[in-house]
Amino acid sequence: MRVAVYYNNNDVRVEERPVPMVGPGEMLVRIMASGICGTDVMEWYRIKKSPLILGHEIAGEVVEVGDEVDRCKVGDRVAVAHHVPCNTCYYCLKGHHTVCDTLRKTNFDPGGFAEYVRLPAINVDRGVFPLPDKVSYEEATFIEPLACILRGQRKAGMEPGQSVLVIGSGISGLLHVKLACALGAGLVAATDISEYRLEAAKRFGASLTIQADDDVQARFREANNGRLADLVIVCTGATKAFTQALQSVERSGTILFFAPTEHGVTIPISINELFWRNDVVLTTSYAGSPADHMEALELIRAGRVDVQDMITHRLSLSESGKGFRLVAGARDCIKVIIEPQR
């Protein structure tokens, strides 16, 4: 089978690999659509492990099942989670599935930028989501990223009527905008350095868009009756964005650090001004649980979060290198989908 192998953001090669063999409890899926995630092009993180076959936002058709598999059958349309929890450890039992040791070790073979993937038995058991007829394969590639967004906003205590500031309008920031609007947020504002992405944020529901280099705090106060944001969501790794978030949150508000910085970055925080006097909450979020995936699928199926209009590029497997360059360049694209069967 053909696979797209990542060496670096500017070197993605189509190579041949054997189709994985399926064992008991396992499943083979023909990949019909696979989204390129922003984390796929985090070169400082990926390159030390390269060459890699990446791709975790996948949807496809079941073509083979191993013994003892009764959850799915050949021909079923499915979306798949690459990381799944054990559901029995200290963390899982407290509802913190995404810090489970098992979740951090699980994956599929080889990766979503391939014609086929093998799902280990644990992924088949708790990481396969049958697709309703009305959900397309390309829409299904949004289930995993939307699950991450859902978990993040839940951890941040997102409530209807809150004012929300999303710093960074890449794909995760734009999904945060869409979900905040769907959940009944009041003022939703988005920042970015790209006019292209700010226009997208406006189309996707943001009532205020702000150039990241402008006076974000003043613009937000002007639109929000003199108050800063109840919830600030940081969706870019730029150090300036983290500092901007600390300056943009209202008293008793929350900052969700959704994106990582580059390795080794530290940011000074005034304990007295931020916490002791103003009761601000800082939180983070990583990945999504199986329950988050199911909720994300339902939001997409019901049309509460429309994802179809976020797709800007549909590329063949042989064009994967172009896709990586588009996403890494962070310019005139939003969601890039690889279709390995083209």
Side-chain angles (χ1 to χ4, degrees):
M1 67 175 181
R2 296 177 306 141
V3 300
V5 184
Y6 170 91
Y7 290 85
N8 61 59
N9 286 347
N10 293 302
D11 186 4
V12 179
R13 311 173 196 173
V14 176
E15 301 178 1
E16 290 287 333
R17 295 285 191 278
V19 176
M21 301 290 290
V22 172
E26 298 181 341
M27 182 184 296
L28 189 68
V29 174
R30 178 186 291 117
I31 303 301
M32 305 303 292
S34 185
I36 301 180
C37 176
T39 64
D40 290 329
V41 300
M42 260 184 354
E43 198 166 64
W44 64 267
Y45 178 69
R46 297 294 184 190
I47 200 165
K48 59 189 176 185
K49 302 176 184 178
S50 68
L52 295 166
I53 301 171
L54 298 171
H56 57 268
E57 302 173 352
I58 70 170
E61 178 187 3
V62 178
V63 293
E64 185 179 351
V65 296
D67 295 339
E68 303 170 12
V69 174
D70 56 12
R71 295 192 66 240
C72 293
K73 64 183 184 303
V74 172
D76 282 354
R77 302 168 64 251
V78 295
V80 181
H82 64 310
H83 293 330
V84 293
C86 70
N87 290 334
T88 58
C89 70
Y90 170 83
Y91 305 105
C92 286
L93 294 178
K94 292 185 68 177
H96 300 297
H97 298 83
T98 64
V99 297
C100 166
D101 288 337
T102 298
L103 180 135
R104 297 182 178 200
K105 295 173 184 175
T106 49
N107 215 322
F108 37 64
D109 171 29
F113 302 130
E115 293 185 287
Y116 298 91
V117 297
R118 177 186 63 86
L119 307 185
I122 189 172
N123 293 71
V124 173
D125 179 66
R126 63 204 66 169
V128 174
F129 308 97
L131 297 180
D133 291 341
K134 67 183 299 184
V135 176
S136 68
Y137 287 122
E138 59 184 25
E139 288 174 309
T141 65
F142 286 85
I143 293 171
E144 191 274 343
L146 183 56
C148 300
I149 303 295
L150 273 165
R151 180 178 186 273
Q153 292 198 16
R154 186 176 66 252
K155 278 202 69 182
M158 166 65 193
E159 296 178 356
Q162 281 189 328
S163 59
V164 179
L165 172 63
V166 178
I167 298 179
S169 297
I171 183 64
S172 64
L174 294 172
L175 275 172
H176 271 293
V177 166
K178 284 210 171 202
L179 182 63
C181 292
L183 296 181
L187 171 68
V188 178
T191 77
D192 206 273
I193 60 173
S194 163
E195 287 297 332
Y196 176 89
R197 292 186 170 190
L198 290 177
E199 284 297 321
K202 191 177 298 183
R203 291 198 311 273
F204 298 155
S207 47
L208 174 66
T209 58
I210 310 171
Q211 256 291 336
D213 293 329
D214 287 351
D215 188 337
V216 172
Q217 295 77 36
R219 291 283 310 281
F220 196 92
R221 284 186 187 276
E222 183 181 359
N224 196 42
N225 299 316
R227 291 191 303 277
L228 294 172
D230 297 316
L231 172 59
V232 181
I233 305 173
V234 183
C235 295
T236 170
T239 305
K240 181 181 177 181
F242 287 77
T243 303
Q244 196 172 67
L246 298 173
Q247 299 168 344
S248 302
V249 65
E250 186 55 68
R251 284 171 289 178
S252 77
T254 299
I255 302 175
L256 170 64
F257 295 113
F258 192 78
T261 65
E262 289 198 10
H263 182 68
V265 172
T266 59
I267 297 169
I269 294 176
S270 172
I271 300 299
N272 286 356
E273 291 297 322
L274 201 64
F275 302 129
W276 183 60
R277 293 190 61 191
N278 289 334
D279 202 20
V280 168
V281 173
L282 306 184
T283 191
T284 60
S285 183
Y286 169 76
S289 70
D292 295 322
H293 282 72
M294 289 187 284
E295 186 176 353
L297 172 56
E298 177 56 21
L299 285 169
I300 293 169
R301 185 206 65 77
R304 291 284 305 283
V305 177
D306 180 13
V307 295
Q308 189 73 44
D309 58 356
M310 304 184 82
I311 302 170
T312 54
H313 296 78
R314 298 168 176 84
L315 305 175
S316 66
L317 194 64
S318 62
E319 297 173 295
S320 296
K322 175 183 177 181
F324 269 74
R325 290 190 296 274
L326 280 166
V327 176
R331 291 189 176 89
D332 296 348
C333 71
I334 299 174
K335 193 61 183 180
V336 178
I337 303 288
I338 302 299
E339 299 175 336
Q341 305 307 320
R342 282 177 54 183

